[in-house]
Amino acid sequence: MQGANLVGFNTNFLPTFPILKTTPHLFCHLKQAYPTASSTFASMGNDEFTTTTTTTVRVPRVLTVAGSDSGAGAGIQADMKACAALGVYCTTVITAVTAQNTAGVQGIHTVPADFVEKQMLSVLTDIGADVVKTGMLPTVDIIRSICDVLKTYPVKALVVDPVLVATSGDELAGPAVLDVLREELLPMADLVTPNLPEASALIGGENVVNISDMREAAQAIHALGPRNVLVKGGHLPGTGGMVDVLYDGVDWHELSGSRVETHNTHGTGCTLASAIAAELAKGHPMLPAILAAKQYLADTLQQSAGLNIGRGAQGPLNHLYKLSNWGKTSTERQFKPEALLLYAVTDAAMNKRWGRSTADAVRGAIEGGATIIQIREKEAETGEFLREAEASLKVARHYGIPLLINDRIDIAMACDADGIHLGQSDLPVAQARALLGPEKIIGVSCKTPEQAEKAWKDGADYIGSGGVYPTTTKKDNKTIGLDGLREVCYGSPIPVVAIGGISTSNAGQVMQEPRPQNLKGVAVVSALFNQADVVASTQALRSVLARTVKKSSPVVPLL
Ligand SMILES: Nc1ncnc2c1ncn2[C@@H]1O[C@H](COP(=O)(O)OP(=O)(O)O)[C@@H](O)[C@H]1O
Ligand SMILES: Cc1ncc(COP(=O)(O)O)c(N)n1
Ligand SMILES: [Mg+2]
């Protein structure tokens, strides 16, 4: 790869590259399996054949040599998905199997170097690759094997993502590999894509913390021999834009973009390197390939920002959002976990005491900043309850705020409410889901992780957990406290809203950082509705929450 000319690479290889590539041995298999198809495979070269009767589209190919991530957010799994999203066939050579999830890396099982080599040969002697991309390379022997194979089977471009540390902070390759990376693999690379800690390690440990450091690091790494260096700025401190620095030995490019506010950044580095490899495989020159890949990553980060996969600090991306947009699915299901932030639960007796209708109470709460409403009516007759629910729903729809009915699925269905909230002794969740269909919201009150797990399995969208503090709104209600709440959160695969005796004086404590990632807000009755001014009391609680719950606040990883 040394001295490969990327401009030549771009213009030369596309038109002449074989339409189908295989070995004569494989061709025999094809002939046996599809005897009538043999006329299609008219001429066959040494290791390739072309068709005279059909025009087959040439499929661009990337070979990724990387580690497996059992959580499928990074590594081989991210590489495959990124390539698939960009229309490129991706083959895989696995260097290590990691036991990994959104919270971190729990174990690494390294594949022996000779077996890495064997996998590479299997791919390169048959399917071939336009571009090789490397990720996690945990041992010196593995790196040497890769260099040896690439010398025998050169490809059009080599992209090296010098993976040393996962986004979670766990080490994936130790300092022992640095010398061989610098001396043997990097000189063969057309592009190397270190993040800030990796750039720092490659240049001998000097801090890389700002753009001027990134430029210096890029220059020093370029001196090791790769044609292009992209120092990625994902770890730059601050909340401003994102800048990656590209250096090709002559020109500098500061590639800037806006920062997507999201916890879901696991695998961004792997995704970027694979996306660049995919764009190079399609025949784009280096700078356009990087720009296209960055655009794909930015779109994917944006589309994945609302995902809630795993309980750790960094969730994965939805690489294939164009195929299956989970964001859209959750809108169809109406439920957005963020809606649990300020959950207002009405109380008929309180409304009567203060001389207001349920619909007026709902309007006040929404105008004060409530993000979801539940109508809880324990005494009223069915006809009256339905009329209250219909009037309240009209208000909630006007403001675009979801409205649920407590317990009474008949009322929820009759007024076409957005969903239902069930207690442990109410209608079972599975039956409620069967009656309401997949789009309505179902919440369940749970006091234990076991109840939460069951609610999730039965089809609930969220858990209401409490009493966090003693309350008079609900008779004989056991107080589980903040510890009990946290225990439920950690055991719950779905979002949780805290309930029970919560007011402006203690909501900050409930939501204080660090807090479980799936604790989304507080549900409140008296603090909003047993007050003279519902709008003002809701506003007061909303501002306490606004101070505590920042959009990108840190969360407690599970492990
Ligand atoms: N929150 C974000 N918003 C937009 N781009 C991001 C964000 N986080 C990372 N990126 C981009 O993702 C790529 C990978 O970045 P980085 O986090 O530095 O690498 P790594 O995943 O290897 O640690 C870079 O192009 C960076 O600019
Ligand atoms: C197997 C494997 N390879 C690479 C990474 C880096 O992940 P990131 O792209 O978030 O830096 C990882 N976490 N696991
Ligand atoms: Mg990385």
Side-chain angles (χ1 to χ4, degrees), residues 85-412:
L86 295 169
V88 170
Y89 189 74
C90 180
T91 48
T92 56
V93 165
I94 299 184
T95 57
V97 181
T98 71
Q100 188 173 172
N101 57 24
T102 59
V105 180
Q106 291 81 44
I108 297 177
H109 188 72
T110 303
V111 174
D114 60 350
F115 203 77
V116 170
E117 181 175 332
K118 202 168 193 136
Q119 295 175 73
M120 288 191 78
L121 292 176
S122 290
V123 172
L124 292 172
T125 58
D126 173 23
I127 299 159
D130 300 316
V131 179
V132 166
K133 176 247 149 183
T134 65
M136 174 182 178
L137 306 177
T139 68
V140 168
D141 287 349
I142 286 178
I143 300 177
R144 291 223 167 98
S145 299
I146 294 167
C147 294
D148 288 347
V149 174
L150 288 177
K151 278 172 196 151
T152 318
Y153 294 91
V155 289
K156 311 287 177 186
L158 171 64
V159 175
V160 174
D161 183 16
V163 171
L164 299 174
V165 180
T167 309
S168 57
D170 295 289
E171 188 175 89
L172 295 169
V177 302
L178 280 174
D179 281 346
V180 69
L181 255 188
R182 287 191 200 105
E183 287 158 25
E184 296 181 36
L185 189 61
L186 291 194
M188 298 174 74
D190 293 286
L191 175 68
V192 54
T193 61
N195 61 21
L196 299 189
E198 289 157 355
S200 160
L202 286 170
I203 61 171
E206 244 169 84
N207 270 347
V208 183
V209 291
N210 55 39
I211 294 174
S212 122
D213 295 347
M214 287 164 82
R215 279 177 171 250
E216 272 177 42
Q219 205 161 15
I221 295 167
H222 187 267
L224 298 169
R227 253 65 64 221
N228 297 271
V229 181
L230 180 72
V231 179
K232 300 173 294 188
H235 300 249
L236 277 174
T239 52
M242 282 285 172
V243 181
D244 297 347
V245 170
L246 175 66
Y247 182 59
D248 63 7
V250 181
D251 291 322
W252 297 95
H253 299 275
E254 282 182 17
L255 310 175
S256 57
S258 40
R259 183 186 294 262
V260 179
E261 282 309 326
T262 175
H263 293 299
N264 298 325
T265 55
H266 179 58
T268 44
C270 306
T271 301
L272 181 68
S274 296
I276 297 170
E279 295 299 333
L280 291 172
K282 289 184 206 169
H284 295 299
M286 187 57 76
L287 181 57
I290 292 174
L291 292 174
K294 278 183 66 72
Q295 188 61 52
Y296 165 69
L297 177 59
D299 292 345
T300 306
L301 277 160
Q302 194 75 55
Q303 293 289 335
S304 312
L307 296 184
N308 197 3
I309 295 178
R311 298 178 221 168
Q314 271 118 11
L317 302 168
N318 179 9
H319 292 87
L320 296 165
Y321 69 88
K322 283 197 179 147
L323 197 64
S324 167
N325 193 330
W326 299 325
K328 190 156 170 280
T329 308
S330 73
T331 326
E332 276 164 9
R333 287 194 72 162
Q334 299 191 12
F335 182 62
K336 295 198 178 71
E338 296 68 39
L340 297 175
L341 179 69
L342 203 175
Y343 189 145
V345 183
T346 66
D347 181 288
M350 282 174 205
N351 290 335
K352 203 179 265 170
R353 190 174 314 142
W354 292 95
R356 54 176 86 101
S357 69
T358 306
D360 285 343
V362 166
R363 184 188 309 279
I366 293 177
E367 287 179 353
T371 50
I372 188 166
I373 304 288
Q374 182 192 132
I375 308 290
R376 187 165 172 271
E377 181 64 84
K378 294 292 180 193
E379 311 294 330
E381 305 208 340
T382 302
E384 189 196 336
F385 190 174
L386 180 60
R387 280 189 294 278
E388 278 181 358
E390 282 170 339
S392 303
L393 197 58
K394 225 175 173 176
V395 175
R397 291 266 153 88
H398 172 75
Y399 290 97
I401 294 290
L403 183 142
L404 314 186
I405 303 293
N406 182 289
D407 185 7
R408 292 282 300 267
I409 197 158
D410 53 341
I411 303 281

Side-chain angles (χ1 to χ4, degrees), residues 16-24 27 41-51 125-126:
T16 55
F17 208 78
I19 288 169
L20 272 170
K21 248 180 140 186
T22 185
T23 58
F27 181 64
F41 306 115
S43 72
M44 197 172 83
N46 210 7
D47 71 340
E48 62 192 62
F49 51 78
T50 55
T51 167
T125 58
D126 173 23

